[in-house]
């Protein structure tokens, strides 16, 4: 805006200078014309006066004889010359060298050529100093007796003109300075609001909508600044609303539980959210703004995108996709994005991860199959032996007793299975309340060791419990915790060969207690580890069933540990052994 002010000031200065110079030249010309006109009128009047005076006092001869020239000449500022009709100079008061150069020639022209024709006249002889001549005839008795000529240099007019120009230059210079000062203030006064408005407009263009200008005037510039401030406030409010909506949209897209992929009308990926990056393990820097077919590797997803582009219809489809070492199930919802004026905007794809749902569905199927199998086995045994007894085995006391013992054993197993299912279902219910208290882990482990003495001797397995000499306490329900370690230690004994070893190690931490149950049995394959806590999942189905297990013991263990806000981990190497690590809290305050 400084350039604008300079341009405006320069324009005003140029205009003022041109005007002042024009006024100066006009005034100079007017002054000069006025002076010359006055000068000529004075000579004319003097010439007319002398000619009339001579005529009234007897003519030229009488005028010269009486010596009146000596009295009259000092009164005149110009030179006086009296000529006869023949051009002879009767009297001449001229003393200037400049006049004397061409004096006689001019006088001769006046008397012989112009004087007789016109009676009076005016002649200017140009030179270093302009010579002005004015003549008039002198008549006597109706005849021309001679001529009276007034002449003078006009040097004085040059001096006056020079002084006049000096005065004009000084006056115009002072006027120019004053005008410049006033012009500077005026331009500053009127351009400052425009400059401020321009700077505010530049800041608004940069996106700084908090910019405001000072509203000084009530004229057009005031209206400009007021309108600019209103515009800035409206833009600021609009930007705040836009940012809020943008933040809401970004928060919604980023935190939605499904992967989001946006493809523009040209097939370039433009938006992905956090869940998409997490699920597909992609980097936004390399994934975004690329052709979709160059960054998406799954052909089924590409075919869905192409179908949406082709048909412009919504598609919902389930896809199984390999991701590194695992396979995931996704339900893909794809929809075309069409603007208000049927303008094609692109495609929106939402990837719902249904892997867990598929896993739960498979678990449900397995559970139903396993429950059916587990219930069918004892029922089949009971039914078979009952039918055998009814067919005639009742008379054989030994066979009867053997069959009844088997029926009792299978009934007990069936009852145990149903009871454990009821317990598991009860623990999974939200209204399940834990009867928490102080539990002595050292005492519980000792009781379990005494309970399993018979089985230990039968399999010749050594059970070693390593705990602090002092009692170790945790908070929880004693019976549930005891059930956890009975199950874990019993499983360890079951899958440890004769002569093996099972060790229980209790490690006390500041706020938790870690209990490890380690055996050197057959171990568990790595691919089986994620599923060992599922209901009825058996690693060695025949051996597990022969051992008398129900198949839901570890599922119950996991639920009991979770109810106590603890956790359980398992590590195993086939042929080497398995280690279960249970972490329990010393206090459940703030965790329930």
């Amino acid at each position: 805006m400084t350039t604008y002010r300079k341009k405006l000031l320069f324009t005003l200065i140029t205009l003022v200078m041109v005007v002042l110079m024009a006024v100066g030249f006009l005034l100079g010309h007017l002054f000069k014309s006025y002076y010359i006109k006055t000068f000529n009128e004075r000579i004319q009047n003097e010439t007319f006066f002398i000619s009339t005076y001579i005529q009234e006092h007897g003519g030229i001869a009488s005028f010269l004889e009486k010596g009146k020239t000596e009295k009259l000449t000092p009164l005149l500022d110009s030179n006086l010359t009296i000529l006869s009709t023949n051009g002879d100079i009767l009297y001449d008061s001229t003393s200037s060298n400049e006049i004397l150069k061409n004096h006689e020639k001019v006088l001769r022209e006046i008397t012989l050529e112009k004087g007789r024709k016109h009676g009076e006249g005016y002649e200017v002889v140009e030179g270093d100093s302009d010579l002005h001549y004015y003549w008039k005839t002198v008549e006597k008795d109706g005849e021309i007796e001679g001529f009276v000529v007034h002449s003078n240099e006009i040097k004085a007019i040059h001096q006056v003109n020079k002084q006049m120009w000096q005065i004009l230059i000084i006056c115009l210079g002072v006027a120019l300075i004053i005008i410049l000062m006033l012009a500077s203030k005026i331009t500053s006064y009127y351009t400052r609001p425009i400059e401020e408005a321009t700077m505010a407009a530049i800041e608004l263009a940069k996106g700084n909508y908090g910019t405001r200008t000072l509203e000084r005037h009530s004229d057009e510039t005031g209206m400009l600044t007021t309108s600019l401030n209103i515009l800035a406030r409206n833009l600021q409010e609009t930007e705040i609303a836009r940012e809020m909506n943008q933040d809401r949209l970004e928060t919604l897209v980023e935190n939605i539980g499904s992967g989001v992929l946006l493809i523009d009308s040209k097939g370039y990926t433009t938006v992905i959210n956090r869940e998409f990056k997490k699920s597909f393990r992609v980097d936004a820097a390399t994934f975004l703004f690329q052709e979709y077919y160059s960054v998406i590797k799954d052909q089924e997803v590409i075919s869905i995108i192409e179908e949406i582009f082709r048909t412009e219809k919504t598609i919902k489809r389930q896809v199984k996709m390999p991701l590194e070492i695992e396979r995931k199930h996704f339900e893909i919802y794809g929809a075309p994005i069409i603007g208000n004026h049927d303008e094609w905007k692109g495609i929106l794809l939402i990837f719902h991860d249904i892997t867990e749902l598929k896993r739960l569905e498979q678990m449900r199927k397995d559970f139903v199959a396993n429950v059916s199998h587990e219930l069918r086995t004892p029922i089949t045994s009971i039914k078979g032996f009952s039918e055998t007894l009814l067919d005639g085995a009742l008379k054989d006391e030994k066979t009867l007793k053997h069959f009844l013992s088997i029926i009792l054993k299978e009934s007990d197993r069936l009852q145990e299975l149903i009871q454990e299912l009821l317990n598991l279902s009860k623990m999974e219910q939200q209204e399940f309340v834990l009867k928490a208290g102080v539990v002595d882990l050292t005492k519980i482990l000792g009781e379990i060791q005494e309970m399993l003495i018979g089985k230990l001797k039968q399999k010749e397995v050594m059970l070693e419990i390593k705990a602090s000499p002092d009692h170790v306490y945790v908070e929880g329900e004693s019976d549930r915790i005891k059930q956890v370690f009975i199950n874990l230690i019993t499983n360890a004994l079951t899958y440890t060969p004769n002569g093996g070893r099972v060790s229980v190690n209790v490690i006390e931490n500041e706020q938790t207690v870690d209990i490890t149950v380690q055996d050197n049995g057959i171990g568990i394959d790595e691919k089986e580890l994620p599923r060992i806590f599922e209901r009825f999942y058996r690693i060695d189905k025949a051996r597990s069933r022969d051992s008398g297990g129900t198949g839901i013991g570890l599922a119950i263990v996991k639920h009991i540990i979770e109810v106590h806000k603890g956790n359980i981990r398992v590590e195993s190497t086939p042929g080497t052994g398995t280690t279960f690590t249970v972490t329990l809290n010393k206090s459940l305050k703030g965790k329930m």
Side-chain angles (χ1 to χ4, degrees):
M1 277 309 294
T2 305
T3 305
Y4 171 72
R5 183 187 294 183
K6 288 181 178 179
K7 287 182 178 179
L8 181 59
L9 187 59
F10 177 76
T11 303
L12 289 175
I13 291 172
T14 304
L15 181 62
V16 169
M17 289 182 66
V18 170
V19 171
L20 290 178
M21 290 175 65
V23 170
F25 282 115
L26 180 61
L27 290 176
H29 180 72
L30 290 175
F31 288 158
K32 183 177 180 181
S33 299
Y34 175 76
Y35 182 80
I36 292 174
K37 180 180 180 182
T38 304
F39 180 79
N40 291 333
E41 288 178 352
R42 180 176 61 80
I43 293 177
Q44 181 182 4
N45 292 333
E46 289 179 354
T47 304
F48 182 78
F49 169 74
I50 294 172
S51 174
T52 304
Y53 182 82
I54 292 174
Q55 288 180 169
E56 291 178 352
H57 290 79
I60 295 173
S62 176
F63 178 76
L64 293 176
E65 287 177 359
K66 293 180 180 180
K68 293 182 179 181
T69 55
E70 286 77 7
K71 297 179 181 179
L72 185 61
T73 301
L75 300 176
L76 302 174
D77 291 333
S78 55
N79 302 308
L80 176 63
T81 303
I82 299 175
L83 301 174
S84 65
T85 55
N86 297 325
D88 297 331
I89 298 174
L90 302 178
Y91 176 79
D92 192 1
S93 64
T94 303
S95 61
S96 172
N97 294 328
E98 181 66 27
I99 295 176
L100 290 174
K101 290 179 182 179
N102 300 311
H103 191 51
E104 291 182 2
K105 181 180 177 182
V106 175
L107 294 177
R108 189 176 302 111
E109 291 178 357
I110 292 172
T111 55
L112 299 179
E113 298 177 11
K114 300 178 182 180
R116 293 181 180 276
K117 295 179 181 180
H118 303 290
E120 62 179 320
Y122 178 79
E123 184 75 19
V124 178
V125 180
E126 295 181 355
D128 294 336
S129 298
D130 293 342
L131 300 178
H132 288 242
Y133 287 85
Y134 197 89
W135 72 90
K136 191 175 187 318
T137 57
V138 179
E139 296 179 358
K140 184 178 181 182
D141 298 330
E143 297 290 336
I144 297 174
E145 185 182 8
F147 300 91
V148 175
V149 180
H150 257 138
S151 63
N152 202 350
E153 298 175 285
I154 201 167
K155 286 183 178 180
I157 195 171
H158 296 296
Q159 184 67 27
V160 171
N161 194 40
K162 182 178 179 181
Q163 292 178 355
M164 178 192 67
W165 275 110
Q166 289 177 351
I167 294 171
L168 278 176
I169 289 172
I170 292 173
C171 293
L172 294 178
V174 173
L176 179 63
I177 293 173
I178 295 172
I179 291 173
L180 289 179
M181 293 174 63
L182 293 175
S184 177
K185 288 186 175 295
I186 291 171
T187 53
S188 177
Y189 178 79
Y190 283 105
T191 58
R192 186 180 295 113
I194 300 176
E195 292 176 358
E196 293 175 355
T198 303
M199 295 304 297
I202 292 173
E203 291 298 319
L204 290 176
K206 293 179 180 178
N208 183 14
Y209 300 126
T211 303
R212 299 291 185 273
T213 58
L214 185 62
E215 301 176 9
R216 293 189 180 90
H217 312 289
S218 58
D219 53 5
E220 287 78 3
T221 56
M223 294 172 63
L224 172 64
T225 54
T226 302
S227 301
L228 197 62
N229 287 339
I230 294 173
L231 174 63
R233 280 191 291 270
N234 293 337
L235 287 175
Q236 188 176 29
E237 292 173 359
T238 304
E239 180 64 16
I240 291 172
R242 189 196 66 80
E243 289 179 354
M244 289 177 62
N245 291 332
Q246 183 72 16
D247 290 341
R248 290 171 184 168
L249 181 60
E250 289 180 358
T251 303
L252 176 64
V253 172
E254 281 296 318
N255 294 282
I256 194 171
S258 302
V260 176
L261 170 62
L262 185 64
I263 301 173
D264 65 13
S265 59
K266 297 181 180 179
Y268 286 86
T269 56
T270 56
V271 175
I272 56 175
N273 69 340
R274 185 183 306 157
E275 186 63 26
F276 185 91
K277 291 183 282 188
K278 179 182 176 182
S279 298
F280 296 97
R281 299 175 180 88
V282 296
D283 183 17
T286 57
F287 190 88
L288 290 177
F289 308 108
Q290 305 292 329
E291 294 90 346
Y292 68 89
Y293 50 80
S294 65
V295 290
I296 298 176
K297 306 303 180 184
D298 192 88
Q299 289 300 319
E300 195 166 357
V301 177
I302 293 176
S303 65
I304 291 173
I305 296 172
E306 291 175 348
E307 185 175 347
I308 297 173
F309 268 114
R310 187 173 57 256
T311 63
E312 298 185 6
K313 293 182 179 180
T314 301
I315 293 178
K316 187 176 182 181
R317 191 172 299 169
Q318 290 187 4
V319 176
K320 186 177 182 181
M321 300 174 60
L323 298 175
E324 296 183 355
I325 62 173
E326 61 179 336
R327 287 181 175 272
K328 284 193 172 186
H329 295 266
F330 289 95
E331 185 177 66
I332 301 178
Y333 176 82
I337 303 174
I338 301 176
N340 295 330
H341 303 287
D342 295 331
E343 181 183 0
W344 179 262
K345 298 289 187 179
I347 290 177
L348 175 65
L349 293 176
I350 298 181
F351 295 78
H352 299 288
D353 189 352
I354 58 173
T355 305
E356 185 65 18
L357 294 177
K358 288 288 185 180
R359 188 183 69 83
L360 293 175
E361 183 180 355
Q362 186 62 41
M363 286 178 61
R364 181 185 61 80
K365 293 178 180 179
D366 293 343
F367 174 73
V368 172
N370 289 329
V371 167
S372 301
H373 184 73
E374 294 295 334
L375 291 175
R376 185 178 62 214
T377 301
I379 291 174
T380 302
S381 298
I382 293 171
K383 181 180 180 182
F385 287 115
S386 299
E387 290 176 347
T388 302
L389 290 174
L390 291 174
D391 288 341
L394 288 173
K395 297 177 181 180
D396 187 349
E397 184 177 351
K398 184 178 179 181
T399 303
L400 176 62
K401 187 176 181 180
H402 176 66
F403 281 8
L404 289 176
S405 65
I406 293 175
I407 292 172
L408 178 62
K409 181 180 177 182
E410 293 297 333
S411 299
D412 290 340
R413 182 180 171 190
L414 185 60
Q415 182 182 10
E416 182 184 359
L417 175 61
I418 294 172
Q419 185 61 44
E420 287 189 351
L421 283 172
L422 291 174
N423 291 337
L424 182 60
S425 176
K426 182 180 179 181
M427 283 186 291
E428 288 179 341
Q429 293 176 359
Q430 293 182 353
E431 60 268 17
F432 175 75
V433 179
L434 187 68
K435 298 177 182 178
V438 179
V439 179
D440 187 346
L441 288 178
T442 307
K443 179 181 178 182
I444 286 178
L445 293 174
E447 291 174 356
I448 295 173
Q449 188 175 26
E450 292 178 1
M451 289 172 57
L452 299 174
I453 287 178
K455 192 170 185 178
L456 290 171
K457 289 181 178 180
Q458 180 183 353
K459 294 197 65 174
E460 298 179 355
V461 174
M462 185 178 70
L463 175 60
E464 182 182 9
I465 298 177
K466 299 177 183 179
S468 173
D470 300 329
H471 290 276
V472 180
Y473 298 97
V474 295
E475 187 176 358
E477 188 172 338
S478 178
D479 292 340
R480 301 290 184 187
I481 293 176
K482 188 174 184 179
Q483 184 180 0
V484 168
F485 292 107
I486 288 175
N487 194 299
L488 293 177
I489 296 173
T490 301
N491 283 348
L493 292 175
T494 301
Y495 295 101
T496 299
N498 294 345
R501 180 173 182 168
V502 176
S503 62
V504 180
N505 191 13
V506 181
I507 303 171
E508 187 174 8
N509 303 314
E510 184 178 353
Q511 296 181 353
T512 61
V513 177
D514 293 334
I515 306 97
T516 61
V517 178
Q518 184 177 12
D519 64 62
N520 57 355
I522 61 174
I524 305 172
D525 192 85
E526 184 178 359
K527 66 179 181 179
E528 305 281 356
L529 290 177
R531 301 193 63 186
I532 62 172
F533 293 106
E534 295 178 9
R535 305 171 189 177
F536 299 109
Y537 185 78
R538 297 179 185 272
I539 300 169
D540 186 348
K541 293 180 172 57
R543 182 170 180 177
S544 299
R545 194 170 292 110
D546 291 342
S547 67
T550 61
I552 59 174
L554 287 180
I556 294 175
V557 166
K558 183 180 180 183
H559 278 285
I560 292 174
I561 297 301
E562 289 177 349
V563 169
H564 284 80
K565 305 303 177 183
N567 63 73
I568 182 169
R569 303 181 300 278
V570 60
E571 298 175 359
S572 183
T573 304
T576 301
T578 304
T579 302
F580 284 89
T581 303
V582 177
T583 301
L584 295 172
N585 296 290
K586 291 183 177 181
S587 174
L588 295 179
K589 291 181 179 180
K591 298 182 181 293
M592 299 301 290

